[in-house]
Amino acid sequence: FTLLKDDDLRRLPTLNGVGEEDDIGFSHVCNHCHKVITLKWKKKLSGKAGGSYHTVAAQRHLEKCMEGGKDAIAVTTVVKEESNVLKHARKVEAIQNVHLQAGYSELKKQKRLPLLAAGQKTLPTATYEMKELCAQAHWFIYLSGNPSFQVFRDYDFKTMLRALVPGGTDPPILTIPNLKDFVAAEWEVFQGNLRSMLHTQLVEAKGNVYCQSIHDGVTLDNKSMYQAFGM
């Protein structure tokens, strides 16, 4: 889509069926079928300058557009899916690095330094932004108080996080969709660690029984029902 220029007559407010002006005229033209459509402007929630156009109408138009438009939306969908996979992989890597650093620090206190891999001088580290986001995700996951996702939309909660950073610099704060992805990444890391631990124990036990597993149905404080597993 191409944004119409301010002096384009198609941007002028149009008349509806009763002769009254609509709130907004056309804003964009399709590059495939050259039809003009209206995309509404969405301001930033923080009250700061700027914003973006809603893309739902554009996506609906491309779904009904000529072949070029349909191909464009198919390519966009594939690119978006690939981007989401890469973003999720970065979250998994960051969580693994944060856990490694935490474990390394604890072993250092106990004067039991772990062995590094061949050719590895230091442990991999996560960026400051990823460390902050991982810390917020771990607070949400492991806090016994069972917080709601809506906490990360709370103004006072965000103010508290900003107050923890000296110099008035805004810290990275998780959005709810990002938080859900971090929860999925943490679960993926847990499963990988569990498989690795079980495999190591199985090798050391030489195939003999080395543990007993138990499971039971549980109901959490928020009334959610899960199957609990222990070993």
Side-chain angles (χ1 to χ4, degrees), residues 104-134:
Y104 184 81
S105 299
E106 186 60 32
L107 288 174
K108 235 178 142 180
K109 293 177 184 177
Q110 301 174 18
K111 297 182 179 180
R112 297 166 50 210
L113 293 182
L115 295 175
L116 298 176
Q120 188 179 18
K121 295 182 179 179
T122 58
L123 288 173
T125 58
T127 62
Y128 162 75
E129 179 182 4
M130 278 300 186
K131 286 180 180 178
E132 286 291 324
L133 297 180
C134 286

Coordinates of all heavy atoms in Angstrom, one line a residue, residues 104-134:
Y104 N 26.3 -20.6 37.8 CA 27.8 -20.4 37.9 C 28.1 -19.6 39.1 O 29.1 -19.9 39.9 CB 28.3 -19.7 36.6 CG 29.8 -19.5 36.6 CD1 30.6 -20.6 36.2 CD2 30.4 -18.3 36.9 CE1 32.0 -20.4 36.1 CE2 31.7 -18.1 36.8 CZ 32.6 -19.2 36.4 OH 33.9 -19.0 36.4
S105 N 27.3 -18.5 39.3 CA 27.5 -17.7 40.5 C 27.4 -18.4 41.8 O 28.1 -18.2 42.8 CB 26.6 -16.5 40.4 OG 26.8 -15.7 39.3
E106 N 26.4 -19.3 41.8 CA 26.1 -20.1 43.1 C 27.3 -21.0 43.3 O 27.7 -21.2 44.5 CB 24.8 -20.8 42.9 CG 24.3 -21.5 44.2 CD 24.1 -20.6 45.4 OE1 23.7 -19.5 45.2 OE2 24.4 -21.1 46.5
L107 N 27.7 -21.7 42.3 CA 28.9 -22.6 42.4 C 30.1 -21.9 42.9 O 31.0 -22.4 43.6 CB 29.1 -23.4 41.1 CG 28.0 -24.5 40.8 CD1 28.3 -25.0 39.4 CD2 28.0 -25.6 41.8
K108 N 30.3 -20.7 42.4 CA 31.4 -19.9 42.7 C 31.4 -19.6 44.2 O 32.5 -19.6 44.9 CB 31.4 -18.5 42.0 CG 32.6 -18.3 41.1 CD 32.5 -17.0 40.4 CE 33.9 -16.3 40.4 NZ 33.8 -15.0 39.7
K109 N 30.3 -19.3 44.8 CA 30.1 -19.0 46.2 C 30.5 -20.3 47.0 O 31.1 -20.2 48.1 CB 28.7 -18.6 46.6 CG 28.3 -17.3 46.0 CD 26.8 -17.0 46.4 CE 26.4 -15.7 45.7 NZ 24.9 -15.5 46.0
Q110 N 30.2 -21.4 46.5 CA 30.5 -22.7 47.1 C 31.9 -23.2 46.8 O 32.3 -24.3 47.2 CB 29.5 -23.8 46.7 CG 28.1 -23.4 47.1 CD 27.1 -24.4 46.5 OE1 27.4 -25.5 46.2 NE2 25.8 -24.0 46.5
K111 N 32.7 -22.4 46.0 CA 34.0 -22.8 45.6 C 34.0 -24.1 44.8 O 34.9 -24.9 45.0 CB 35.0 -22.8 46.7 CG 35.1 -21.4 47.4 CD 36.1 -21.5 48.6 CE 36.2 -20.1 49.2 NZ 37.2 -20.1 50.4
R112 N 33.0 -24.3 44.0 CA 32.9 -25.5 43.2 C 32.7 -25.1 41.8 O 31.6 -25.1 41.2 CB 31.7 -26.4 43.6 CG 31.8 -26.9 45.0 CD 30.5 -27.5 45.5 NE 29.9 -28.4 44.5 CZ 28.6 -28.5 44.3 NH1 27.7 -27.8 45.1 NH2 28.1 -29.4 43.4
L113 N 33.7 -24.6 41.1 CA 33.6 -24.0 39.8 C 33.4 -25.2 38.8 O 34.1 -26.2 38.8 CB 34.9 -23.3 39.4 CG 35.2 -22.0 40.2 CD1 36.5 -21.4 39.7 CD2 34.0 -21.1 40.1
P114 N 32.4 -25.0 37.9 CA 32.1 -26.0 36.9 C 33.1 -26.0 35.8 O 33.7 -25.0 35.6 CB 30.7 -25.6 36.4 CG 30.7 -24.1 36.6 CD 31.5 -23.8 37.8
L115 N 33.2 -27.1 35.1 CA 34.1 -27.2 34.0 C 33.4 -26.6 32.7 O 32.2 -26.8 32.5 CB 34.4 -28.7 33.7 CG 35.2 -29.4 34.7 CD1 35.4 -30.9 34.4 CD2 36.6 -28.8 34.9
L116 N 34.2 -25.8 32.0 CA 33.7 -25.2 30.8 C 33.9 -26.1 29.6 O 34.8 -27.0 29.7 CB 34.3 -23.8 30.5 CG 34.1 -22.7 31.6 CD1 34.9 -21.5 31.3 CD2 32.6 -22.4 31.7
A117 N 33.2 -25.9 28.5 CA 33.4 -26.7 27.3 C 34.8 -26.5 26.7 O 35.4 -25.4 27.0 CB 32.3 -26.4 26.3
A118 N 35.2 -27.4 25.9 CA 36.6 -27.3 25.3 C 36.7 -26.0 24.5 O 35.8 -25.8 23.7 CB 36.8 -28.5 24.5
G119 N 37.7 -25.3 24.7 CA 37.9 -24.0 24.0 C 37.1 -22.8 24.5 O 37.1 -21.8 23.9
Q120 N 36.3 -23.1 25.5 CA 35.4 -22.0 26.1 C 36.1 -21.4 27.3 O 36.4 -22.1 28.3 CB 34.0 -22.6 26.4 CG 33.0 -21.5 26.8 CD 31.6 -22.1 27.1 OE1 31.6 -23.3 27.4 NE2 30.6 -21.4 27.1
K121 N 36.3 -20.1 27.2 CA 36.9 -19.4 28.3 C 35.9 -18.8 29.3 O 36.2 -18.7 30.5 CB 37.8 -18.2 27.8 CG 39.0 -18.8 26.9 CD 39.9 -17.6 26.4 CE 41.0 -18.1 25.6 NZ 41.9 -17.0 25.1
T122 N 34.8 -18.3 28.8 CA 33.8 -17.8 29.7 C 32.4 -18.3 29.3 O 32.2 -18.8 28.2 CB 33.8 -16.2 29.6 OG1 33.5 -15.9 28.2 CG2 35.1 -15.6 30.1
L123 N 31.5 -18.2 30.2 CA 30.1 -18.6 29.9 C 29.4 -17.6 29.0 O 29.7 -16.4 29.1 CB 29.3 -18.7 31.2 CG 29.6 -19.9 32.2 CD1 28.9 -19.7 33.5 CD2 29.2 -21.2 31.5
P124 N 28.5 -18.0 28.2 CA 27.8 -17.0 27.3 C 26.9 -16.1 28.2 O 26.4 -16.6 29.2 CB 26.9 -17.9 26.4 CG 26.8 -19.2 27.1 CD 28.1 -19.4 27.9
T125 N 26.8 -14.9 27.8 CA 26.0 -13.9 28.6 C 24.8 -13.4 27.8 O 24.9 -13.3 26.5 CB 26.9 -12.8 29.1 OG1 27.4 -12.1 28.0 CG2 28.0 -13.3 30.0
A126 N 23.8 -13.0 28.4 CA 22.7 -12.3 27.8 C 22.8 -10.8 27.8 O 23.6 -10.3 28.7 CB 21.4 -12.7 28.5
T127 N 22.2 -10.1 26.9 CA 22.2 -8.6 26.9 C 21.5 -8.1 28.1 O 20.7 -8.8 28.8 CB 21.6 -8.1 25.6 OG1 20.2 -8.4 25.6 CG2 22.3 -8.6 24.4
Y128 N 21.8 -6.8 28.4 CA 21.1 -6.2 29.6 C 19.6 -6.3 29.4 O 18.8 -6.6 30.3 CB 21.5 -4.7 29.7 CG 20.6 -3.9 30.5 CD1 20.5 -4.0 31.9 CD2 19.7 -3.0 29.9 CE1 19.7 -3.2 32.7 CE2 18.8 -2.2 30.7 CZ 18.8 -2.3 32.1 OH 17.9 -1.6 32.8
E129 N 19.1 -6.0 28.2 CA 17.6 -6.0 27.9 C 17.1 -7.4 28.2 O 16.0 -7.5 28.8 CB 17.4 -5.6 26.5 CG 15.9 -5.6 26.1 CD 15.6 -5.2 24.7 OE1 16.6 -5.0 23.9 OE2 14.4 -5.1 24.3
M130 N 17.7 -8.4 27.7 CA 17.2 -9.8 27.9 C 17.3 -10.2 29.3 O 16.4 -10.9 29.8 CB 18.0 -10.7 27.0 CG 17.6 -10.8 25.6 SD 15.9 -11.3 25.4 CE 15.7 -11.5 23.6
K131 N 18.3 -9.7 30.1 CA 18.4 -10.1 31.5 C 17.2 -9.5 32.2 O 16.6 -10.1 33.1 CB 19.7 -9.5 32.1 CG 20.9 -10.4 31.7 CD 22.2 -9.8 32.3 CE 23.4 -10.6 31.9 NZ 24.6 -10.0 32.5
E132 N 16.9 -8.2 31.9 CA 15.7 -7.5 32.5 C 14.4 -8.2 32.2 O 13.6 -8.5 33.1 CB 15.7 -6.1 32.1 CG 16.7 -5.2 32.7 CD 16.5 -4.9 34.1 OE1 15.4 -4.8 34.6 OE2 17.5 -4.9 34.9
L133 N 14.2 -8.6 31.0 CA 13.0 -9.2 30.6 C 12.9 -10.6 31.1 O 11.8 -11.1 31.6 CB 12.9 -9.3 29.0 CG 12.9 -7.9 28.3 CD1 12.8 -8.1 26.8 CD2 11.7 -7.1 28.8
C134 N 14.0 -11.4 31.2 CA 14.0 -12.7 31.8 C 13.7 -12.6 33.3 O 12.9 -13.4 33.8 CB 15.3 -13.4 31.6 SG 15.7 -14.0 30.0

